[in-house]
């Protein structure tokens, strides 16, 4: 288990960064007094300090110097200046973990001191409810213990798997962006029920639980989603009529294209 006395620092305290902070504290991965956050927006930092009891600073270097594990939760577009600002404070005893979408490990390894241990991670916003799906790719200097540490941190806020960096853009397109693809599905199914006379609150509750239950069935049974679909679709029944409507609308292709488009954008960001 990750030593609770190890100090974890976050550079960037936006939605994803703050979600991860809440998750690791809730899971007991780190004590609040051993967690620090740096961000340019001081009012937001003050809110986090009041809510979580963490250490804060508007100076990235203050948090970097005080941390054993430094987690970069900044936008890819600002990463270059952040790394330039931090490189003098990154020593060999620090582990650097980044969740910047689309940025290859080589960017960190070239910008930071030689031998820096780096791990690239793509989580998703479901970390806020401890149900994130995260892909973890270690850099050339990362040790097996570093990978174990990263897996434990991100498993504390959901499910984490180690992957090769070559598919990290696909991880970004699938699970990183994926929640935003599913929320409209929940809303649309609820809309259908509302059109048929159900009240909005009940429709949204049943729709969301249906998605949650379907996902849990697949994960816990290990059955292929096609097999699970066939278990629900009886001959000439209601469900097969609905499935036929989805096929007519090209839903499969739409979801495939959503993942592909998001993956391509991740690749574009990595080249900038």
């Amino acid at each position: 288990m990750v030593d609770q006395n190890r100090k974890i620092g976050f550079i960037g305290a936006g939605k994803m960064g703050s979600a991860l902070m809440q998750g690791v504290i809730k899971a007991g991965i780190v004590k609040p007094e051993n967690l620090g956050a740096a961000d340019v927006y001081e009012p937001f930092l003050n809110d986090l300090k009041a809510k979580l009891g963490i250490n804060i600073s508007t100076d990235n270097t203050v948090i970097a110097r005080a941390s054993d594990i430094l987690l970069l939760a900044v936008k890819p577009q600002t990463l270059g200046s952040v790394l330039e600002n931090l490189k003098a404070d990154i020593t060999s005893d620090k582990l650097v973990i980044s969740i910047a979408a689309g940025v290859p490990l080589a960017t960190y390894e070239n910008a930071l001191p030689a031998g820096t241990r780096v791990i690239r991670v793509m989580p998703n916003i479901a970390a806020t409810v401890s149900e994130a799906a995260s892909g973890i790719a270690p850099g050339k200097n990362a040790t097996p213990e570093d990978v174990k540490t990263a897996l434990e941190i991100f498993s504390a806020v959901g499910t984490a798997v180690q992957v090769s960096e070559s598919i990290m853009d696909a991880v970004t397109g699938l699970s990183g962006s994926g929640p935003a693809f599913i929320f409209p599905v929940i809303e649309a199914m609820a809309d259908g029920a509302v059109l048929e006379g159900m009240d909005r609150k009940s429709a949204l509750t049943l729709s969301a639980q249906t998605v949650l239950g379907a996902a849990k069935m697949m994960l816990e049974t290990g059955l292929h989603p096609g097999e699970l679909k066939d278990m629900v679709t009886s001959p000439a029944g209601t469900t097969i009529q609905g499935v036929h409507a989805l096929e007519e609308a090209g839903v499969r292709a739409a979801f495939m294209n959503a993942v592909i488009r998001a993956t391509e954008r991740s690749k574009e960001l990595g080249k900038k």
Side-chain angles (χ1 to χ4, degrees):
M1 183 175 181
V2 175
D3 183 356
Q4 280 192 323
N5 292 318
R6 292 181 72 179
K7 293 178 172 59
I8 301 178
F10 282 75
I11 306 300
K15 289 181 180 179
M16 184 62 74
S18 60
L20 288 168
M21 289 180 223
Q22 293 175 62
V24 294
I25 290 173
K26 182 179 179 181
I29 292 293
V30 63
K31 297 175 181 177
E33 60 266 29
N34 290 331
L35 193 151
D39 199 276
V40 296
Y41 189 56
E42 192 168 7
F44 191 54
L45 286 175
N46 290 332
D47 287 344
L48 282 172
K49 181 177 177 64
K51 182 178 181 180
L52 302 177
I54 64 174
N55 302 301
I56 60 171
S57 177
T58 55
D59 186 343
N60 290 345
T61 62
V62 170
I63 297 300
R65 293 187 197 113
S67 302
D68 301 307
I69 301 169
L70 193 61
L71 204 151
L72 307 180
V74 299
K75 293 185 181 299
Q77 297 89 332
T78 64
L79 185 64
S81 60
V82 170
L83 293 177
E84 180 64 27
N85 175 247
L86 291 176
K87 67 180 182 181
D89 297 298
I90 302 297
T91 52
S92 60
D93 60 333
K94 297 183 189 298
L95 170 61
V96 176
I97 300 174
S98 177
I99 62 171
V103 181
L105 287 163
T107 297
Y108 307 96
E109 292 167 346
N110 292 334
L112 298 174
T116 298
R117 294 144 50 216
V118 182
I119 293 180
R120 178 181 170 190
V121 182
M122 187 65 243
N124 65 23
I125 197 63
T128 55
V129 291
S130 299
E131 291 293 349
S134 304
I136 293 174
K140 62 184 179 182
N141 300 310
T143 67
E145 189 63 29
D146 292 335
V147 174
K148 183 179 177 181
T149 295
L151 284 169
E152 186 164 6
I153 289 173
F154 286 88
S155 292
V157 291
T159 297
V161 296
Q162 183 178 346
V163 300
S164 65
E165 189 183 25
S166 62
I167 63 165
M168 278 297 281
D169 291 310
V171 172
T172 301
L174 174 60
S175 54
S177 301
F181 307 154
I182 300 303
F183 293 137
V185 171
I186 294 172
E187 182 183 31
M189 293 203 314
D191 283 345
V194 170
L195 187 145
E196 293 294 338
M198 188 179 294
D199 68 275
R200 171 69 59 182
K201 183 178 179 181
S202 296
L204 284 171
T205 298
L206 291 176
S207 182
Q209 180 61 37
T210 298
V211 171
L212 177 62
K216 193 170 183 178
M217 275 189 72
M218 199 204 80
L219 290 171
E220 292 191 0
T221 65
L223 295 175
H224 188 277
E227 187 174 353
L228 289 168
K229 181 259 299 176
D230 289 348
M231 289 168 57
V232 188
T233 51
S234 56
T238 60
T239 305
I240 195 62
Q241 288 288 342
V243 170
H244 182 245
L246 292 175
E247 296 293 356
E248 282 188 318
V251 166
R252 288 175 188 261
F255 276 102
M256 289 178 66
N257 287 334
V259 174
I260 292 167
R261 294 281 184 88
T263 300
E264 292 304 314
R265 179 54 177 162
S266 179
K267 293 176 181 177
E268 290 171 4
L269 289 172
K271 294 176 182 177
K272 293 184 177 180

